[in-house]
Amino acid sequence: MLRVGLSGGIGSGKSTVAGRLAEHGAIVIDADRLAREVVEPGSQGLREIEEAFGSEVLDESGALNRAALAAKVFSDDQARAALNGITHPKIGARTAELIAAAPEDAIVVHDVPLLVEGGLAPMYHLVVIVHAEVEQRVERLKGRGLDEQDARSRMAKQADDGQRRRVADVWLDNSGTPDRVLAEVDALWADRLVPYEANVRLRRYASGAPKLVPYDPTWPEQAARIAKRIEAAGGQRRVEHIGSTSVPGLSAKDVLDFQLGVASLDEADEIAEALTQAGFPLIGPGEDSVKYGDPEGWKKRLHAGADPKRRVNLHVRVEDGPAWDWAIRFRDWLRADDGARREYEAVKLELSERHAADVDGFAYGDAKEPWMSAAVERMAAFYKDGQTS
Ligand code: ADP
């Protein structure tokens, strides 16, 4: 099962996008609709609201009077917390029920207007944000019969574009005609969601040989987003962006490398399934090339990303062990030493050309080793701590 979070400001086009994904076969869970369902006439939720806020929050027919309730909780934090205490667990339980009922190979799209505000982004395999400019959204909402002032005041309370960009794996621009965004949705479905779902279910990582590309200035923000996802799946342990993509200015294969810190490899084995389910299947036990000291210290567990459009290597290493430290020291040295960085880049360019036919990248990786090993001495000199064993 693939869990996709869908969000965007009101009037951005979320429902339009969700509708198209449903036509393709996605199971759409509409958070707004569930929020209404849990307070329907006759519901447990509505009874609890009446108990907490009195019968004046109901209309003559016994249904919730939203305006009356809104007036009570608007400037009263405690009342709002009480209301959320009634509705949120019920919405959560209903969401979990719908997800549990979905088939094993489902692509579940969770349409959540307040995904960003609620800090929910790391819980999904992929976050899709629909975007349109404020003025355009106001016009479209007026077309749908919404009051302009109401629309604007709701927008002002929502997350801004910067916050949304930070969580977006996919940014769908809906400032053009509906056809334009729908064509993007079709491509997203076929090229990314379908193969991503299959990879997660079959515990496959995205494969293929990425080429060396110039440094991409969006790598750090992409890494920050994916690190949060790894943290959430890995029990909030430490996650570091390492490897060539973590060194500004360095050409690299477009594969983001991370290390996740564990207290022991037993602990790594305990969280392997959770990482696999979150879209980072286990490739197997692995051993980093031993740079010095006890070979045991260089053992790890290697996972990789299942998203076909975002390659990730995830090294689960003993936190503060030699392999963990080496990755950080190597990164920080290359960040600080322009000469070393240029030299490493030249080596990478030369080797990637020589091993262009190497699909798995193993021969290329092995060929880099002598330079990496020689780097141990140079790093010891750089850090002036003589750490080579
Ligand atoms: P949301 O669910 O994000 O609030 P909707 O999908 O309901 O947004 O879109 C808001 C309104 O704008 C709807 O009336 C919808 O039909 C219309 N709309 C959506 N996309 C476009 C577009 N590209 N051009 C014009 N109108 C659009």
Side-chain angles (χ1 to χ4, degrees):
M1 175 184 298
L2 192 75
R3 292 185 312 276
V4 179
L6 173 66
S7 197
I10 56 163
S12 58
K14 286 184 301 301
S15 311
T16 308
V17 169
R20 183 64 150 228
L21 289 169
E23 281 174 34
H24 281 293
I27 294 184
V28 176
I29 300 177
D30 180 338
D32 269 351
R33 207 174 76 201
L34 295 188
R36 287 191 299 273
E37 271 177 29
V38 299
V39 297
E40 262 170 9
S43 65
Q44 174 67 21
L46 191 57
R47 273 193 295 280
E48 290 177 26
I49 286 176
E50 188 184 354
E51 266 166 43
F53 298 97
S55 54
E56 61 267 33
V57 299
L58 304 185
D59 63 20
E60 304 90 77
S61 73
L64 186 64
N65 179 338
R66 288 177 183 281
L69 181 62
K72 286 209 177 220
V73 302
F74 183 71
S75 51
D76 183 342
D77 289 346
Q78 220 177 335
R80 199 163 46 244
L83 175 62
N84 289 341
I86 294 169
T87 56
H88 286 187
K90 293 180 175 60
I91 298 168
R94 188 73 188 117
T95 305
E97 219 173 87
L98 291 171
I99 291 175
E104 194 200 354
D105 62 352
I107 295 173
V108 174
V109 173
H110 197 189
D111 177 349
V112 192
L114 300 182
L115 182 148
V116 179
E117 296 80 347
L120 299 173
M123 311 314 293
Y124 300 98
H125 290 107
L126 198 77
V127 169
V128 177
I129 299 288
V130 189
H131 170 76
E133 295 302 334
V134 170
E135 291 313 315
Q136 206 167 21
R137 286 158 55 200
V138 168
E139 282 313 308
R140 289 175 186 172
L141 288 169
K142 275 161 68 182
R144 212 170 64 178
L146 220 76
D147 173 68
E148 175 166 349
Q149 270 327 103
D150 187 23
R152 286 190 192 276
S153 76
R154 281 159 71 175
M155 285 174 193
K157 285 193 215 106
Q158 293 191 330
D160 62 33
D161 283 346
Q163 292 168 307
R164 290 203 182 96
R165 280 215 186 258
R166 277 198 284 284
V167 304
D169 297 292
V170 178
W171 185 259
L172 287 177
D173 181 5
N174 186 25
S175 53
T177 62
D179 284 357
R180 288 250 303 271
V181 77
L182 293 177
E184 279 189 54
V185 174
D186 293 347
L188 171 67
W189 178 265
D191 301 341
R192 194 162 188 180
L193 301 186
V194 169
Y196 194 174
E197 183 284 318
N199 282 348
V200 170
R201 178 165 34 90
L202 302 171
R203 299 159 178 271
R204 284 190 313 224
Y205 59 95
S207 54
K211 285 198 300 285
L212 211 60
V213 294
Y215 178 75
D216 178 345
T218 72
W219 279 335
E221 58 213 59
Q222 293 188 51
R225 191 163 68 234
I226 292 162
K228 290 217 170 66
R229 192 167 278 147
I230 296 169
E231 276 166 23
Q236 300 301 334
R237 291 173 172 80
R238 217 168 114 202
V239 175
E240 294 270 351
H241 178 205
I242 53 163
S244 292
T245 59
S246 69
V247 180
L250 185 59
S251 298
K253 293 186 173 183
D254 192 1
V255 181
L256 300 177
D257 278 85
F258 298 89
Q259 60 183 2
L260 170 66
V262 285
S264 67
L265 289 180
D266 285 343
E267 203 175 281
D269 293 335
E270 283 162 24
I271 61 173
E273 184 58 20
L275 293 173
T276 297
Q277 293 300 328
F280 304 99
L282 178 69
I283 295 181
E287 191 173 283
D288 292 305
S289 65
V290 178
K291 308 280 188 307
Y292 42 74
D294 182 359
E296 279 301 307
W298 299 84
K299 288 194 170 146
K300 66 178 173 186
R301 297 291 180 264
L302 183 60
H303 294 246
D307 180 353
K309 297 286 184 187
R310 177 19 76 217
R311 298 288 300 278
V312 167
N313 287 330
L314 174 56
H315 311 261
V316 184
R317 290 178 174 136
V318 173
E319 188 173 346
D320 298 329
W324 172 278
D325 284 345
W326 195 85
I328 291 176
R329 286 162 62 90
F330 186 61
R331 175 193 71 191
D332 292 350
W333 171 53
L334 291 177
R335 281 178 176 175
D337 186 329
D338 294 343
R341 185 172 63 247
R342 275 194 292 271
E343 194 186 309
Y344 184 44
E345 183 165 53
V347 168
K348 281 163 54 117
L349 282 165
E350 205 262 314
L351 292 177
S352 74
E353 273 164 37
R354 195 183 317 156
H355 297 284
D358 163 28
V359 182
D360 296 322
F362 290 130
Y364 165 77
D366 288 347
K368 266 190 337 195
E369 273 310 317
W371 196 86
M372 307 285 251
S373 296
V376 173
E377 299 285 339
R378 298 172 66 182
M379 281 158 63
F382 174 79
Y383 286 106
K384 299 186 178 55
D385 62 2
Q387 184 173 318
T388 53
S389 63

